[in-house]
Amino acid sequence: MTESERNRTAAPDGWAAGARREPGARGRRFDTAVRGYLARYPEATVVALGEGLGMGFWRLDNGRLNWLTVVAPETAAVRRMLLPDGPRRRTVARAVTDHRWLDAVREPERGVVVTAPGVLMRLSPPSVRALLAVCAERFPGGALVFDALPRPAMALARRAAGPGGGRWPGPVRWGLNRAELPRVAGAHPGIAVVREVGPTGWLRRRMPVLGALTPLVCEVRFAAAGSPRRASSAVR
């Protein structure tokens, strides 16, 4: 990376400490999955759904990737003011359920990894399925990383939120138990692998009740174009 490019991708003044700050345990799992994908596709596009004012670009930038932040229009205006777009990062003003944001991904053949922390759990089940299907269709060879609450934890979150919504930014509408992970592949025949990210097996073995309440971070990998998996029938 040249000095000019480094200056144009540097975090704005006053934001450098935030860019370097390590995320929490769940955030580190997301970062691990993204770094693993970038190790295979260093020029890939990272699509950060619902990122808000997050600074994942500066934490994960390898000098070659492209970054696309997808947020609601009112949030996009604030982000562009505080974190202006740069040569390899852009903000797209779209709702996650408005699939036109997929058209903003340039050169998807270089690889695409979509991150959706806290996003899918607030969508309806049909919307979750539609998002998985459209990403599998449009991004062969790509991946999507998301988190979900097991159903017992989802029920607790709903009760804690109460009728006023509590501290949650939106109602929890979709949950996923660990035993249901294989069913995620049924959203589209192009979904090749669904796996949980992070060392959680010991927790489930030693404290099954606590393990049943612990959020999952999952990676969905899409089959490459021309793969036999993409031509197979979806599991229903």
Side-chain angles (χ1 to χ4, degrees):
M1 184 188 303
T2 67
E3 185 64 28
S4 175
E5 290 172 329
R6 186 175 296 107
N7 291 337
R8 285 182 291 167
T9 57
D13 291 343
W15 290 74
R20 290 192 297 266
R21 188 180 301 125
E22 283 296 316
R26 204 183 319 179
R28 288 195 294 272
R29 293 184 188 180
F30 275 88
D31 285 3
T32 295
V34 173
R35 288 189 177 106
Y37 189 86
L38 292 173
R40 302 190 301 273
Y41 305 98
E43 296 182 345
T45 296
V46 181
V47 181
L49 299 182
E51 187 181 26
L53 296 178
M55 303 189 71
F57 171 84
W58 289 274
R59 195 170 59 249
L60 298 170
D61 184 26
N62 61 2
R64 300 169 66 185
L65 62 80
N66 286 282
W67 193 277
L68 201 68
T69 295
V70 178
V71 287
E74 58 272 19
T75 306
V78 177
R79 182 176 176 91
R80 287 177 179 138
M81 179 176 62
L82 297 175
L83 299 169
D85 290 358
R88 291 186 292 108
R89 53 185 173 81
R90 293 175 291 134
T91 298
V92 175
R94 296 282 184 195
V96 171
T97 52
D98 180 351
H99 295 162
R100 286 177 293 177
W101 61 259
L102 285 90
D103 298 330
V105 178
R106 302 166 182 166
E107 298 181 302
E109 66 276 6
R110 294 179 181 266
V112 181
V113 55
V114 181
T115 67
V119 173
L120 269 61
M121 66 179 71
R122 294 181 174 85
L123 301 180
S124 67
S127 294
V128 171
R129 190 177 184 88
L131 179 63
L132 289 168
V134 74
C135 287
E137 186 70 31
R138 294 283 295 273
F139 302 141
L144 187 149
V145 188
F146 68 92
D147 56 353
L149 293 178
R151 297 187 190 280
M154 181 178 72
L156 289 175
R158 284 176 169 174
R159 286 200 292 270
R167 66 179 181 83
W168 295 90
V172 179
R173 305 173 65 189
W174 178 73
L176 181 70
N177 292 334
R178 286 178 169 84
E180 297 173 317
L181 276 177
R183 293 176 54 188
V184 175
H188 191 275
I191 295 178
V193 176
V194 182
R195 72 181 187 95
E196 186 173 1
V197 179
T200 58
W202 67 271
L203 181 64
R204 296 197 299 274
R205 289 192 300 270
R206 296 186 180 184
M207 294 177 284
V209 175
L210 185 57
L213 299 175
T214 304
L216 302 78
V217 175
C218 304
E219 180 184 20
V220 177
R221 295 184 182 178
F222 307 129
S227 166
R229 170 62 181 153
R230 296 188 68 84
S232 68
S233 298
V235 178
R236 301 293 180 183

